[in-house]
Amino acid sequence: MDVGDSPLLKFAADLRSLRDKAGGSSYRQLGARAHYSATTLSDAAGGRKLPTLAVTLAYVRACEGDEAEWENRWHEVAAEVLPQPPANEGHPPYAGLAAYGTEDAEWFFGRDRTLDDLEARIRDRRFAAVFGASGAGKSSLLRAGLVPRLPGSTAVTTPGEVEVRPEKLDLGRDLIIVDQFEEVFTLCQDADQRAAFIDALLDAECRVVLGVRADFYGHCAQHPRLVEALTDGQLLLGPMGPEELRQVIMQPAVKASCTVETALVSRLIAETTGQAGVLPLMSHALLETWRRRRGTTLTVAGYEAAGGIQHAIAQTAERTFTSLEKHQRALAREVFLRLTALGDGTEDTKRRLPRAELDANVDVDVVLDRLAHARLLTLDRDTVEIAHEALIRSWPRLRNWLAADRDGLRTMRQLTDAATTWHSLGRDPDALYRGSRLDTAVEWTQRENVRTSALERDFLTESLAARDRERHLAHRNNRRLRQLVALLLVLLVLASGAVVLAIRAQQQAATERNLSVARYAANEAQNRRAAGDGGLANQLIIAAYRLSGTGDLRDLVLSAHASAGADMISRSVLPTGPALSPDGTQIPTARVPDIADGRVYKRVGGLLTPKNTVTSFTVTSSERAYATTTETPDARIWDVTDAREPVVAHTFTGPVTRVAFAPAGGRFLVTVEGASEAKIWDATNPREPKVLGVLTGHPRWITDIAFSPDGRTLITIDNQSTVRFWSLANPAEPKQVGELDDGEDVSTVALSPDRRTAAVAGANGTIRLWDLANPWQPTRLARMTGHSDKVLSLGFRRDGQALASVSKDDTVRMWNLADQRHPTQQARISGPTDGVYGVNFGDTPDWVITSNADGTTRSWEFDVNEAIARMCETVDQPITEEEWRRNFEGIPYDSPCS
């Protein structure tokens, strides 16, 4: 059968190919394993119609394929081949992604008990607030639930609608509801204006109710008067219970003269109970299921065709996006990126966009109309915004856009704000970009798929013109300065005082000139590297650092060296697995005398299903190297001593979610099974580990485990970010010996070699140091900021005087802990950090190594002199005098790698 271009035929052909790879079993044999008839499985791979999701997954399971991958494939094909919702459908009983408004009160169900509580609080107090996760239903509760219940006049607004200006608040009503109160912090950068807005609400004579996203609770705590007002006026909106969810599902359908299959009700309740932010996802899935109803019945089949809770939003967004013309898709991408506010220690949030920020043309109007019709966007008279933040979390394409270049998106947002400010000031020249901000913005606009508005293009054009004028003026001033220096040198003969003045003026001029030239050369180095001329780029950045020697230029040198990976082979580190065990022991190389790349040696990560699941590494006392992985369905221990042929040493049975070796020879091994049971194994013989003890009764789910450097202490992190310390002195009976809960997110932890200091970090990028002299009452020593995204791993140097950190912001940083109460950042290296699970120090104080989940390692050299030496070893052609003059005008020629 010809595969052709049909998604359905391609899907069927891939099913047949999967069967062939599984050994070519007959459909009768597959049927016995899948518990479906041979005819059903044959039809599934026939390509005449799309099989159901259940049949597809049974087929894949029988062929030992990746069920998650094929489930995503099924939803993609279903979005293209299954019948689409009708264009004119009347008033739907569910709101989809949008919140219920005051006009939707008759369709709002499930929150009666919460509304009774909130109404009682408002009667007793003048000021109250509803806190809840994004998607918990705060806006619907306030607008469709609370407002209809209350007598008198009520005003509902958001900070964005009144531009955080107190005079725009309608305080003459009996009650004012400020929904999405977190916009006070995300949209207003003026602290005084923000404080004035909050004070106006606190001083109002009417009653006030706030709706606030729970992850902005800490922001509210920064205002003492607001804390005092909310002391007894807080209502935390948690997940709905099963009976409340049943009302949300069934009552709107009953009102619309429809019924819901009992199996669908049970499935929805099972999938949503206890989930705080799932309401918009469920509402959207129900809306799409209602559009695919059979007669007046909402069915499980319609729910699966809609993609379910996990895929309905993504399916609608993807279907709408792909239906656009190619140039309209580019416009849609720009719209979504501009409508998203990047989180700084919090989740990404939606942003209300002034319509004037987008170019006025027909294509933009068409894109906005199409997206609004699909209920992905909400259009107002002068503004545009995403219907709900659930779209940001659930649409893979949008998540990929946001993750691809977060620094670029921040550059875009800063450019937009700067251009708007410039325009509002009457295009004042003093508000234009200059220096590195201009260079960064111009470099960003030259990237692929980058679009700017007409106002932003005018702003950059004027900024570049102003820079050219300033450079011309600076050149003229430099010429005059040189003349002045010459005059001062003449006057040197006449007076010793003139000598001092001349020398100081010359030194200051030279310092300023060197700094200006060095920054220009560093910027040119980035352009040359982007053009593929790495050798010249390295020489330019080395020369710039030697000329000026500032910290940012030092970091650029280290980052350039890291990107080249020059020291991977020179230090004889095998590119096949973690180079060091957690206690710093290097992989034994006696069996692999000649170093080669991944084309010769197999990566452990390339042998895993799914890939990228290496979790830890150790070298035993017999100099054998072992790695652990959490593969599906079983965790494994891999013998990687022979890097050419890694082999499975042991396979665990059961649902293992975490596995890790203890350092110092790897005697202990810990696995986490289920939610909160940890087993301690004797891994002296990793091929036959034996259970020594079981850590049961852990109060919460274990999300991660770690060891102290000496392997005598086990550390667990639970799903509420509490860190617990367990002594393994008697592994048969692990004993808790300490606990740390600093009230912030914790996803990684490290102990110093003397076990007296702990470092913890999480999603907001901050690192906290704690004194464990009393492990039951730790004392915070310091708070280290610098990372702009989640910290992936931490590692102390063996002397305890330095800490290495790795973050999703694609930086590796080294911190000087000589004074633990006042730590300082020693240096920062930029480079990809996807998949990193561990970080440690090499055999020199400034050499850091990260371990990746695909079984590879990467070196990061923080000794700038060592980095320069390694970079110069790769230079084939020294910089020419002509190239030097082009980049270092007025500086004597000095080849950096001669």
Side-chain angles (χ1 to χ4, degrees):
M1 181 173 58
D2 183 12
V3 174
D5 296 327
S6 165
L8 179 57
L9 293 178
K10 182 65 169 61
F11 183 79
D14 288 346
L15 283 177
R16 297 194 299 274
S17 177
L18 178 66
R19 172 172 161 255
D20 293 338
K21 292 178 181 178
S25 301
S26 68
Y27 283 115
R28 186 178 300 278
Q29 292 172 321
L30 287 183
R33 296 197 292 266
H35 305 294
Y36 278 92
S37 70
T39 301
T40 299
L41 298 181
S42 176
D43 289 343
R48 287 179 290 275
K49 65 177 181 179
L50 181 68
T52 66
L53 178 60
V55 170
T56 300
L57 295 182
Y59 187 109
V60 171
R61 189 162 49 248
C63 295
E64 299 182 352
D66 187 331
E67 293 184 56
E69 175 185 349
W70 278 92
E71 182 174 356
N72 289 333
R73 284 281 309 277
W74 187 92
H75 285 295
E76 291 173 1
V77 176
E80 297 190 49
V81 304
L82 291 179
Q84 301 304 310
N88 300 313
E89 54 191 17
H91 192 289
Y94 305 101
L97 290 179
Y100 285 89
T102 54
E103 70 279 5
D104 301 317
E106 60 179 321
W107 302 93
F108 181 73
F109 297 94
R111 287 293 193 184
D112 291 340
R113 185 173 57 183
T114 303
L115 284 169
D116 291 341
D117 186 2
L118 180 57
E119 192 174 358
R121 290 175 186 267
I122 296 174
R123 285 198 303 268
D124 298 338
R125 297 184 55 83
R126 191 189 64 79
F127 204 93
V130 177
F131 289 89
S134 175
K138 302 180 296 300
S139 297
S140 299
L141 177 79
L142 297 175
R143 296 170 183 266
L146 181 62
V147 171
R149 282 187 170 215
L150 299 177
S153 61
T154 302
V156 182
T157 187
T158 65
E161 292 174 349
V162 296
E163 301 174 354
V164 197
R165 293 169 59 182
E167 62 271 17
K168 285 196 172 185
L169 288 170
D170 187 2
L171 301 177
R173 303 294 185 96
D174 297 317
L175 171 69
I176 181 170
I177 295 176
V178 184
D179 193 15
Q180 301 175 32
F181 185 72
E182 62 273 5
E183 290 183 354
V184 169
F185 307 102
T186 61
L187 300 182
C188 180
Q189 304 303 317
D190 188 329
D192 293 336
Q193 182 180 352
R194 185 188 309 138
F197 182 81
I198 295 174
D199 288 340
L201 292 173
L202 293 171
D203 296 335
E205 296 182 1
C206 62
R207 298 183 184 276
V208 178
V209 179
L210 309 181
V212 193
R213 243 177 53 187
D215 54 336
F216 281 83
Y217 188 88
H219 293 69
C220 296
Q222 297 173 6
H223 298 269
R225 290 190 64 203
L226 185 58
V227 172
E228 181 181 358
L230 294 177
T231 299
D232 298 318
Q234 305 176 29
L235 176 63
L236 179 61
L237 188 62
M240 283 187 169
E243 183 54 37
E244 293 173 316
L245 290 170
R246 190 182 305 277
Q247 295 179 34
V248 170
I249 297 166
M250 297 188 64
Q251 292 300 323
V254 171
K255 185 173 180 59
S257 301
C258 293
T259 59
V260 185
E261 283 186 349
T262 302
L264 177 56
V265 176
S266 301
R267 180 167 173 178
L268 283 169
I269 291 176
E271 291 180 354
T272 57
T273 298
Q275 303 295 320
V278 79
L279 290 180
L281 303 179
M282 183 178 72
S283 181
H284 185 75
L286 281 168
L287 176 61
E288 293 300 315
T289 304
W290 176 77
R291 291 171 173 170
R292 293 165 173 81
R293 62 193 179 275
R294 188 176 63 225
T296 60
T297 303
L298 280 67
T299 67
V300 171
Y303 176 74
E304 290 182 345
I309 286 179
Q310 296 300 322
H311 297 278
I313 293 177
Q315 189 168 301
T316 298
E318 191 65 19
R319 181 174 62 242
T320 306
F321 177 82
T322 55
S323 68
L324 298 172
E325 299 294 334
K326 183 177 180 180
H327 66 284
Q328 292 174 341
R329 295 179 190 176
L331 289 173
R333 178 180 183 273
E334 177 194 2
V335 168
F336 280 115
L337 292 179
R338 289 179 179 272
L339 286 171
T340 305
L342 299 181
D344 186 10
T346 58
E347 289 185 347
D348 296 341
T349 59
K350 65 179 182 177
R351 167 181 176 257
R352 182 175 285 106
L353 177 70
R355 180 63 179 83
E357 187 173 318
L358 298 172
D359 289 344
N361 61 57
V362 175
D363 282 326
V364 172
D365 293 338
V366 170
V367 168
L368 294 178
D369 183 70
R370 293 280 294 277
L371 297 177
H373 180 73
R375 302 196 74 171
L376 300 173
L377 300 184
T378 299
L379 304 182
D380 202 348
R381 185 180 64 180
D382 299 316
T383 61
V384 184
E385 66 177 340
I386 291 175
H388 199 282
E389 288 166 1
L391 179 63
I392 300 175
R393 301 191 302 270
S394 301
W395 188 18
R397 186 185 294 271
L398 178 54
R399 292 204 311 271
N400 291 338
W401 287 340
L402 294 171
D405 185 13
R406 295 184 73 83
D407 288 341
L409 294 179
R410 291 189 175 93
T411 299
M412 177 185 73
R413 189 73 69 246
Q414 293 165 1
L415 173 60
T416 301
D417 294 342
T420 303
T421 301
W422 171 68
H423 185 71
S424 67
L425 294 176
R427 305 205 167 195
D428 185 354
D430 290 337
L432 293 171
Y433 265 358
R434 289 172 172 81
S436 60
R437 289 200 303 172
L438 177 57
D439 293 337
T440 300
V442 171
E443 186 273 334
W444 171 75
T445 61
Q446 295 171 349
R447 299 180 188 177
E448 186 179 0
N449 295 327
V450 167
R451 300 179 62 89
T452 54
S453 67
L455 177 60
E456 292 162 357
R457 291 192 292 273
D458 291 344
F459 175 78
L460 289 178
T461 299
E462 288 298 320
S463 296
L464 289 170
R467 182 177 71 177
D468 291 339
R469 291 192 296 270
E470 291 172 357
R471 282 182 174 178
H472 178 72
L473 180 61
H475 180 72
R476 186 173 62 182
N477 290 340
N478 284 339
R479 185 171 63 251
R480 291 178 177 176
L481 182 60
R482 287 195 295 269
Q483 294 170 350
L484 175 61
V485 171
L487 178 60
L488 290 174
L489 290 175
V490 173
L491 294 177
L492 177 64
V493 182
L494 303 177
S496 59
V499 171
V500 175
L501 292 176
I503 292 175
R504 288 181 177 175
Q506 188 177 28
Q507 289 176 340
Q508 182 177 2
T511 299
E512 293 176 354
R513 177 203 61 185
N514 290 351
L515 179 59
S516 177
V517 171
R519 294 198 183 281
Y520 175 83
N523 185 63
E524 185 63 17
Q526 304 302 318
N527 296 334
R528 293 304 180 94
R529 190 179 307 283
D533 193 351
L536 178 57
N538 287 344
Q539 294 181 79
L540 289 175
I541 194 63
I542 292 171
Y545 169 72
R546 286 177 174 168
L547 184 62
S548 181
T550 59
D552 59 337
L553 291 175
R554 173 206 60 213
D555 291 348
L556 285 176
V557 172
L558 296 175
S559 298
H561 170 255
S563 67
D567 64 345
M568 181 66 79
I569 294 179
S570 63
R571 290 183 177 273
S572 298
V573 177
L574 291 176
T576 57
L580 304 178
S581 65
D583 62 347
T585 308
Q586 189 169 338
I587 287 182
T589 59
R591 297 177 177 83
V592 190
D594 50 325
I595 305 303
D597 59 21
R599 291 172 296 181
V600 176
Y601 300 117
K602 298 178 181 178
R603 291 183 176 185
V604 176
L607 302 176
L608 307 182
T609 305
K611 298 180 179 180
N612 301 335
T613 54
V614 177
T615 56
S616 62
F617 179 85
T618 192
V619 178
T620 68
S621 57
S622 61
E623 294 190 347
R624 296 196 68 84
Y626 292 91
T628 62
T629 62
T630 54
E631 299 182 70
T632 303
D634 302 314
R636 301 182 183 181
I637 303 176
W638 288 79
D639 186 338
V640 295
T641 307
D642 185 348
R644 293 185 179 87
E645 292 294 337
V647 296
V648 176
H650 181 76
T651 300
F652 296 93
T653 59
V656 177
T657 59
R658 291 288 186 277
V659 58
F661 270 114
R667 180 197 168 193
F668 293 139
L669 178 73
V670 172
T671 60
V672 177
E673 302 182 12
S676 57
E677 180 182 274
K679 290 184 178 179
I680 297 93
W681 302 74
D682 183 350
T684 304
N685 179 5
R687 297 183 179 278
E688 295 181 359
K690 299 178 181 178
V691 176
L692 295 175
V694 180
L695 192 159
T696 59
H698 197 282
R700 298 193 185 100
W701 287 9
I702 299 174
T703 60
D704 205 358
I705 53 178
F707 285 94
S708 61
D710 60 5
R712 295 166 59 188
T713 301
L714 173 67
I715 311 164
T716 62
I717 304 174
D718 69 26
N719 61 344
Q720 296 296 318
S721 296
T722 300
V723 179
R724 295 178 174 84
F725 306 98
W726 307 82
S727 171
L728 298 184
N730 180 5
E733 296 180 2
K735 179 181 178 182
Q736 186 175 353
V737 294
E739 185 169 309
L740 170 61
D741 185 359
D742 67 354
E744 296 185 47
D745 176 75
V746 176
S747 57
T748 184
V749 61
L751 276 182
S752 63
D754 61 4
R755 292 182 292 165
R756 294 184 59 85
T757 306
V760 298
N764 62 8
T766 61
I767 303 171
R768 288 88 70 191
L769 287 181
W770 291 84
D771 184 349
L772 298 182
N774 181 352
W776 288 103
Q777 293 182 339
T779 303
R780 178 180 284 184
L781 296 171
R783 184 182 182 91
M784 297 138 69
T785 60
H787 286 299
S788 61
D789 208 338
K790 179 180 180 180
V791 176
L792 300 173
S793 185
L794 300 167
F796 281 89
R797 196 165 65 195
R798 276 166 259 177
D799 61 3
Q801 297 296 299
L803 179 75
S805 61
V806 186
S807 167
K808 288 182 69 176
D809 65 5
D810 285 342
T811 64
V812 180
R813 302 173 190 242
M814 183 183 292
W815 308 84
N816 187 332
L817 304 185
D819 182 354
Q820 291 192 348
R821 292 193 177 275
H822 302 90
T824 58
Q825 181 173 292
Q826 182 171 326
R828 177 194 70 188
I829 301 178
S830 299
T833 58
D834 288 344
V836 170
Y837 73 84
V839 61
N840 218 304
F841 284 81
D843 54 12
T844 63
D846 296 314
W847 182 29
V848 170
I849 294 176
T850 56
S851 300
N852 195 283
D854 67 359
T856 62
T857 62
R858 179 160 185 174
S859 294
W860 312 80
E861 180 59 71
F862 281 85
D863 184 333
V864 68
N865 293 325
E866 178 70 13
I868 290 174
R870 298 297 178 185
M871 291 165 69
C872 284
E873 289 177 359
T874 65
V875 172
D876 297 325
Q877 182 66 39
I879 186 172
T880 65
E881 293 191 27
E882 179 182 357
E883 192 69 41
W884 179 276
R885 286 193 299 270
R886 186 180 299 117
N887 293 281
F888 298 92
E889 181 181 0
I891 307 297
Y893 174 76
D894 183 14
S895 177
C897 293
S898 58

